Amino acid sequence: GAVVSQHPSRVICKSGTSVKIECRSLDFQATTMFWYRQFPKQSLMLMATSNEGSKATYEQGVEKDKFLINHASLTLSTLTVTSAHPEDSSFYICSASRTSPYEQYFGPGTRLTVT
Amino acid sequence: EDKVVQSPLSLVVHEGDTVTLNCSYEVTNFRSLLWYKQEKKAPTFLFMLTSSGIEKKSGRLSSILDKKELFSILNITATQTGDSAIYLCAVGDNYGQNFVFGPGTRLSVLP
């Protein structure tokens, strides 16, 4: 149990376009979903935390107008990178947690390449 | 400010060695400490610890938490090259909302 999926797993887009990444909890209801970004050889950087039905809480330094997060249901959260630029190229990982036992389950990640 | 510190940041050992990875934390409203193994993609969950002194084991891996001294260790015995990865420690708060990750320990196991 506790499987989280992400789609797409890999995406290449042109500079200036927008990209949407989906994160789904497949067999449980996730009251909270997290979006992380990882740069090569570095740890995870939390971008934002989202609760179903409410606005996401962004970490300091993360542009909320650029990284739009929607948590429409207890099993789906989306991250939209708007007007993507090459510096947005990265590995984006989502995770989901249940109210108990406070674990996070990670999705497999999405590799975004902006050309 | 909540923080999680891991040491060492990098470690190189040979197959068969035993390693101990450390994670210390300063977090308000501590609820749980989690260990993850990250290879090429997203981290995979290893352990969740909530109580002091209770060792969790999975094969050659084991972990224990000390809530008084605010740290946890992850032991790997008889290491194998497949253990090479980044090991992440994260601490969750009492509401299941906020997690703070450490920088990770990059473990390299040489044949």
Side-chain angles (χ1 to χ4, degrees):
Chain A
V3 179
V4 175
S5 71
Q6 273 185 250
H7 178 79
S9 58
R10 194 177 280 271
V11 57
I12 301 172
C13 70
K14 291 191 174 179
S15 192
T17 61
S18 295
V19 174
K20 180 186 283 188
I21 302 170
E22 289 188 352
C23 176
R24 293 181 185 271
S25 55
L26 298 184
D27 52 2
F28 68 100
Q29 293 187 327
T31 53
T32 306
M33 286 188 167
F34 305 81
W35 285 96
Y36 294 86
R37 181 174 177 177
Q38 186 183 40
F39 295 92
K41 298 185 180 180
Q42 293 184 24
S43 187
L44 299 176
M45 182 195 80
L46 179 64
M47 298 174 66
T49 303
S50 74
N51 293 298
E52 183 262 340
S54 61
K55 288 184 179 180
T57 301
Y58 289 81
E59 295 298 299
Q60 195 171 8
V62 178
E63 298 175 60
K64 57 183 70 176
D65 294 331
K66 179 167 189 61
F67 298 99
L68 302 178
I69 292 171
N70 185 304
H71 193 158
S73 74
L74 285 172
T75 60
L76 173 64
S77 176
T78 60
L79 167 68
T80 302
V81 182
T82 63
S83 187
H85 290 285
E87 57 264 31
D88 299 325
S89 298
S90 190
F91 192 58
Y92 293 88
I93 307 171
C94 77
S95 70
S97 74
R98 301 181 280 206
T99 54
S100 174
Y102 303 98
E103 294 173 341
Q104 279 189 74
Y105 300 94
F106 284 87
T110 296
R111 168 77 56 194
L112 170 64
T113 303
V114 183
T115 60
Chain B
E1 183 182 338
D2 296 343
K3 67 177 181 180
V4 175
V5 177
Q6 288 186 248
S7 66
L9 293 180
S10 183
L11 185 59
V12 181
V13 300
H14 287 91
E15 275 192 313
D17 290 348
T18 293
V19 298
T20 298
L21 310 183
N22 303 290
C23 175
S24 63
Y25 61 91
E26 293 177 21
V27 172
T28 53
N29 297 314
F30 172 88
R31 168 66 182 179
S32 60
L33 186 144
L34 304 95
W35 283 97
Y36 294 88
K37 176 183 181 182
Q38 185 183 23
E39 295 172 274
K40 293 181 180 176
K41 283 204 164 180
T44 53
F45 174 78
L46 294 176
F47 298 110
M48 183 183 76
L49 304 156
T50 57
S51 302
S52 276
I54 299 175
E55 185 182 53
K56 293 216 172 179
K57 285 184 70 92
S58 177
R60 296 177 292 103
L61 275 66
S62 64
S63 183
I64 197 162
L65 173 68
D66 186 328
K67 288 167 73 172
K68 183 179 176 185
E69 300 297 328
L70 307 183
F71 78 91
S72 173
I73 59 173
L74 174 68
N75 278 319
I76 308 174
T77 59
T79 52
Q80 302 171 358
T81 55
D83 296 325
S84 297
I86 296 174
Y87 290 84
L88 290 165
C89 170
V91 175
D93 72 6
N94 210 27
Y95 306 100
Q97 298 283 325
N98 296 310
F99 290 86
V100 179
F101 277 83
T105 294
R106 185 177 293 274
L107 173 66
S108 298
V109 181
L110 304 178

